[in-house]
Amino acid sequence: MSTARERLTDALYGAGWSTVKKLPEPAATRLGRTIADIAWKKRGKSVLRLESNLARVVPDATPERLKELSRAGMRSYLRYWMESFRLPSWSPDRIRNGFDVADVHHLTDGLAADKGVILALPHLGNWDLAGAWVTTELETPFTTVAERLKPETLYDRFVAYRESLGMEVLPHSGGSAFGTLARRLRAGGLVCLVADRDLSESGVPVRFFGDTARMPAGPSILAQQTGALLLPVTLWYDDSPVMRGRVHPPVEVPQTGTRAEKTSVMAQALADAFATGIAEHPEDWHMLQRLWLADLEERRT
């Protein structure tokens, strides 16, 4: 990305956080839907990639159905951004009432056991809102990892934004994040990781909607090394202002096998839980990048 484009990107995100959060909620909702529809009609690379990904999730969908799903997907994606721009100005009650999660006892029981908990999520719904709910409703701080974006000022904006919601944010690059996460878990803390897309190119191969993708090994290895509970979480929207979610049963560490074999089994279990949530709410999966190995190899050729 050129320096000029980086500056423009940073300026646009800055305008979003400074301007959108001041809008009345209905106006922000309309703005997000308008931007989504404009982007969808342009049929740019991101929209086409979203549609291609959705074709794997819903393999029997007609071309017309895929277009409907991608349009709904862009609206969901812009809802995420409108909410995220506004979250720092939401009251604690608005945050508490903005998320309804099923089977949260898996999380609260795990925290009560004081052995550490890892929440692993796909790019479904609004994971920032879910995190803000945890720090507000459960009054539980947590540690997460963020991709180091360019320009650096944009990365700093995201860190400041998430820290304002009660999160400790570590950079994905640099090599020290894993050790810090392990220390937090051994102290009985909570770690939340978005884990359906491998950023290291050394992730674990999994079967995902009938083909091979790579997903991060980190959540599974952390659970093995620290004894922390590993819980998949899926999120989705409905027609209300409230986001929905589910905490899935724990992913157990296999009793036998090498570390690599255990990691493979656990990563597959996470992928299966993610696939369940994505299949139920495909329009809320905000995956606008290549994910499957076949698609990544196609780009390289």
Side-chain angles (χ1 to χ4, degrees), residues 26 51 81 116 152 169 175 180 218 246 251 258 264 272 278 286 300:
E51 218 161 88
W81 279 112
E152 192 74 15
V169 183
T180 302
R246 178 189 173 201
V251 172
T258 65
S264 179
D272 292 343
I278 293 166
H286 306 151
R300 297 188 186 106

Side-chain angles (χ1 to χ4, degrees), residues 26 107 271:
L107 171 57

